[in-house]
RNA sequence: GGCGGAGUCGCCAAGUGGUAAGGCAAUGGUUUGCAAAACCGUCAUUCGUGGGUUCGAUUCCCACCUCCGCCUCCA
């Protein structure tokens, strides 16, 4: 498959370096609160990427960290009067629940930052030894950007005019950590009162690791100095990923990530999602409004990953109908297969080849969905083996997208006897062409929360 | 200010130097006593504005307008 690479700004073929397993790292959540739909856009797209590779027959090694020690987790755990571990576990559990509901495959390795502090300390030591980092008087350690000429390649710093002077003044006025150059970033933070009991011993005194370092240390541990891909939200390009490159290449050598895959942020109602605007949705929020996780997933893959996705509640309703439409078409195919089908489901994409090609063309999920509907119209009349092949192909595509279809078989809900009684009475009236009574009873049923649909020789009751 | 992105039907959203996918909504028909459901159709001479290049541009170039994101923590 072809995929855009942030560093080179070109589309590159996705192929494992070692020719076997595609090994990639995703920046995971900071577990200090519920993940919102913006977070999940990133995780869902990464999941589609992985599923597409695996569908094509390439095994993957998916590593995604948990950031469970940083400013926010410490601040909020103290505010909640819980230990850091207890606090972050709470949100980690919630995160796993949401991921599962959204059909995101669990990463093969999910390292916790707080459990890799020794690795982080040894990486800092290596950086100091090689002259890429320096301790300050207060016991913090900084990365020396001037020691890494390649700094800024990913975010194309040379093309930007970073007003470092302005930033410097702002920092100088606050009693922030000391550093030689304003752009130097912290690797190890000295112990401070507001950290409570959350500090660890180090050669530079008690303190805790800097955020950027966590990922570098865990990557070195599980993927080594060179691996296939690094992925995350677009906001992480600078400075987070830039800093990771600097730390990792200086400490370990190697080429670090061969491909950078960044997912653009989603917008809500055309603007930024924020708590103050009240449009920061979590999965639980949407479920409370009656939507399903799958409807959210469908919505999240409804726009190309490099374009802003304008999320609205209406789009969730549209997704619901669209999913239903696919489900009905799939059901029709299944019905059309009949009993005389002899061919085994093939591994080919058959009539759904255009959909598969779109997916492999820079992960164009919206085009893929479009192709599915177009093809579905043509497969509508297929029978027997052809229907079987089409259905198998459709299922392969849906699996790559991580989409599961809603049940369209009639749910056998319990019908209360009194409701059944009214319906019977109405049916009798209807059979006698007593339309007035029939319609009146239909309205009555509706007011009781039941819809009645007439067929030729029978009727159907369903809850509204 | 710098960097990056976006402006395509009421909404969401692909795409392309050769005459605009798809979904939702809407709407017509078949069906129905009427509905609902289902099925079959219809639905952008037009792609922010103004120029330019071209046989031809929505697609390339220039200018402008509007919007969004980043440059501090952020998926």
């Amino acid at each position: 498959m072809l995929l855009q690479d942030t560093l080179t700004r070109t589309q590159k073929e996705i192929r494992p370096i070692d020719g076997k397993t595609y090994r990639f790292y995703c920046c995971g959540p900071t577990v200090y609160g519920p993940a919102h739909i913006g977070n999940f856009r990133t995780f869902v797209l990464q999941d589609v990427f992985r599923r597409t590779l695996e569908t094509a027959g390439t095994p993957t090694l998916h590593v995604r960290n948990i950031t469970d020690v940083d400013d926010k987790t410490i601040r909020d755990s103290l505010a909640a009067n819980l230990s850091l571990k207890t606090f972050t576990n709470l949100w980690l559990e919630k995160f796993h629940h949401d991921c599962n509901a959204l059909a995101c495959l669990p990463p093969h390795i999910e390292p916790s930052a707080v459990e890799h502090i020794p690795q982080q300390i040894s990486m800092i030591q290596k950086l100091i030894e090689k002259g890429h980092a320096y301790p300050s008087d207060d016991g913090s350690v900084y990365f020396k950007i001037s020691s890494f000429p390649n700094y800024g390649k990913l975010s194309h710093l040379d093309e930007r005019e970073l007003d470092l002077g302005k930033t410097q003044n702002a920092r100088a006025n606050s009693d922030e950590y000391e550093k030689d150059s304003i752009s130097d970033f912290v690797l190890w933070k000295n112990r401070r009162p507001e950290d409570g009991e959350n500090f660890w011993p180090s050669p530079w005194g008690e303190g805790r690791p800097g955020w950027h370092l966590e990922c570098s240390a865990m990557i070195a541990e599980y993927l080594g100095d060179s691996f296939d891909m690094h992925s995350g939200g677009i906001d992480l390009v600078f400075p987070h990923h830039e800093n990771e490159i600097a730390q990792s290449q200086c400490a370990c050598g190697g080429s670090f990530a061969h491909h950078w895959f960044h997912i653009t942020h989603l917008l809500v109602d055309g603007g930024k999602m924020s708590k103050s605007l009240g449009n920061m949705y979590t999965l639980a929020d949407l479920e409370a409004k009656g939507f399903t996780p799958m409807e959210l997933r469908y919505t999240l893959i409804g726009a190309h990953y490099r374009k802003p996705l304008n999320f609205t509640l209406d789009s969730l309703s549209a997704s619901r109908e669209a999913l239903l439409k696919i489900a009905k078409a799939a059901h029709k195919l299944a019905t059309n297969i009949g009993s005389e089908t002899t061919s085994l489901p093939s591994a080919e994409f058959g009539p759904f080849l255009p959909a598969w090609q779109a997916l492999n063309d820079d992960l164009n999920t919206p085009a893929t969905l479009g192709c599915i509907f177009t093809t579905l119209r043509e497969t509508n009349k297929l029978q027997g083996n052809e229907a079987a092949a089409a259905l198998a192909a459709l299922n392969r595509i849906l699996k790559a997208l991580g989409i599961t279809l809603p049940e369209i078989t009639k749910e056998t809900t319990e019908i209360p006897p009194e409701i059944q009684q009214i319906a019977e009475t109405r049916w009798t009236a209807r059979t006698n062409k007593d339309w007035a009574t029939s319609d009146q009873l239909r309205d009555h049923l509706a007011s009781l929360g039941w819809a009645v649909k007439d067929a030729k020789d029978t009727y159907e009751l369903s809850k509204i």
Side-chain angles (χ1 to χ4, degrees):
Chain A
M1 78 183 283
L2 281 174
L3 196 74
Q4 179 86 6
D5 170 40
T6 311
L7 177 64
T8 59
R9 293 178 177 176
T10 58
Q11 297 202 356
K12 298 200 313 200
E13 184 68 30
I14 296 297
R15 205 174 277 124
I17 301 170
D18 66 5
K20 286 179 277 197
T21 303
Y22 198 83
R23 305 180 311 135
F24 68 111
Y25 182 90
C26 302
C27 285
T30 302
V31 279
Y32 71 109
H36 56 248
I37 57 174
N39 297 305
F40 283 120
R41 181 186 192 191
T42 297
F43 297 134
V44 164
L45 262 301
Q46 289 164 341
D47 186 62
V48 173
F49 168 75
R50 171 179 161 184
R51 285 169 175 272
T52 302
L53 268 190
E54 291 179 352
T55 299
T58 306
T60 63
L61 177 65
H62 179 193
V63 183
R64 186 179 65 206
N65 76 294
I66 299 295
T67 298
D68 49 8
V69 53
D70 79 321
D71 295 352
K72 288 182 294 241
T73 45
I74 289 175
R75 180 195 65 203
D76 291 359
S77 66
L78 290 173
N81 204 23
L82 293 171
S83 76
L84 184 63
K85 191 82 191 158
T86 307
F87 178 78
T88 55
N89 271 154
L90 211 68
W91 291 115
L92 178 59
E93 203 174 302
K94 173 71 179 148
F95 176 68
H96 283 158
H97 169 270
D98 287 356
C99 283
N100 186 257
L102 286 165
C104 290
L105 299 169
H108 304 288
I109 304 174
E110 192 175 48
S112 136
V114 80
E115 284 167 17
H116 291 77
I117 289 181
Q119 287 88 336
Q120 296 171 59
I121 288 176
S122 74
M123 186 173 259
I124 297 173
Q125 283 178 308
K126 226 181 276 181
L127 287 170
I128 293 178
E129 283 164 20
K130 294 186 174 183
H132 293 294
Y134 57 91
S136 66
D137 296 338
D138 66 1
S140 295
V141 181
Y142 293 93
F143 184 90
K144 189 175 184 177
I145 285 187
S146 59
S147 75
F148 184 62
N150 276 341
Y151 190 83
K153 280 261 171 70
L154 180 69
S155 59
H156 303 267
L157 253 190
D158 52 342
E159 294 171 28
R160 301 190 291 162
E161 280 185 12
L162 263 190
D163 190 350
L164 296 178
K166 200 167 87 185
T167 317
Q168 190 160 32
N169 289 333
R171 290 277 176 80
N173 290 334
S174 69
D175 50 353
E176 273 294 333
Y177 309 98
E178 315 162 16
K179 33 174 135 172
D180 290 355
S181 162
I182 187 56
S183 39
D184 289 353
F185 55 91
V186 70
L187 300 170
W188 183 263
K189 294 185 169 191
N190 66 336
R191 179 183 170 187
R192 327 198 98 207
E194 59 265 35
D195 291 341
E197 296 306 302
N198 300 300
F199 57 85
W200 290 262
S202 84
W204 316 282
E206 291 170 338
R208 59 186 173 91
W211 174 54
H212 304 300
L213 185 70
E214 299 176 353
C215 288
S216 280
M218 289 184 273
I219 286 171
E221 178 85 0
Y222 298 104
L223 295 170
D225 61 19
S226 306
F227 57 105
D228 290 295
M229 171 190 277
H230 197 314
S231 176
I234 190 76
D235 56 297
L236 296 181
V237 172
F238 184 88
H240 184 57
H241 288 160
E242 207 71 83
N243 292 354
E244 278 187 48
I245 294 171
Q247 293 158 344
S248 293
Q249 292 198 336
C250 289
C252 312
S255 49
F256 204 55
H258 284 207
H259 197 115
W260 290 88
F261 172 37
H262 289 106
I263 291 97
T264 299
H265 282 191
L266 66 68
L267 268 32
V268 173
D269 295 324
K272 190 179 180 174
M273 180 172 58
S274 76
K275 272 183 187 156
S276 56
L277 290 171
N279 60 8
M280 173 104 56
Y281 297 114
T282 65
L283 179 58
D285 292 336
L286 299 178
E287 287 185 294
K289 291 179 188 294
F291 296 106
T292 67
M294 198 43 68
E295 285 157 7
L296 174 60
R297 182 172 174 114
Y298 186 95
T299 303
L300 291 177
I301 65 173
H304 188 89
Y305 75 90
R306 282 195 282 123
K307 283 195 178 177
L309 159 67
N310 190 13
F311 178 87
T312 62
L313 290 177
D314 281 348
S315 62
L316 284 176
S317 304
S319 295
R320 166 171 301 174
E321 296 306 319
L323 281 166
L324 216 49
K325 190 169 183 169
I326 300 175
K328 285 169 185 167
H331 184 74
K332 175 118 197 285
L333 276 176
T335 312
N336 288 357
I337 290 176
S339 51
E340 286 160 38
T341 301
T342 51
S343 74
L344 294 169
S346 116
E348 303 295 316
F349 287 93
F352 287 95
L353 187 60
W356 176 243
Q357 285 170 337
L359 194 54
N360 283 275
D361 180 12
D362 200 20
L363 213 62
N364 196 336
T365 48
T368 304
L369 294 174
C371 290
I372 288 176
F373 286 101
T374 306
T375 301
L376 241 22
R377 254 199 306 234
E378 293 155 9
T379 59
N380 203 23
K381 44 201 173 295
L382 295 180
Q383 301 285 334
N385 290 346
E386 284 186 327
L391 184 58
L394 173 64
N395 284 146
R396 292 193 79 201
I397 292 281
L398 292 176
K399 193 180 172 196
L401 292 172
I403 293 293
T404 48
L405 267 13
E407 280 294 333
I408 60 159
T409 44
K410 313 286 183 322
E411 41 185 300
T412 50
T413 41
E414 286 287 311
I415 298 168
E418 63 270 24
I419 297 295
Q420 188 69 55
Q421 185 56 52
I422 298 169
E424 281 298 330
T425 309
R426 173 181 173 276
W427 182 254
T428 308
R430 198 186 107 92
T431 310
N432 295 331
K433 299 190 189 293
D434 179 2
W435 312 127
T437 307
S438 170
D439 289 352
Q440 187 196 336
L441 287 172
R442 183 165 64 192
D443 289 344
H444 185 50
L445 282 167
S447 71
L448 293 172
W450 289 83
V452 58
K453 296 172 188 170
D454 297 326
K456 243 194 172 60
D457 304 313
T458 182
Y459 62 91
E460 231 173 71
L461 280 167
S462 62
K463 260 205 136 87
I464 296 172

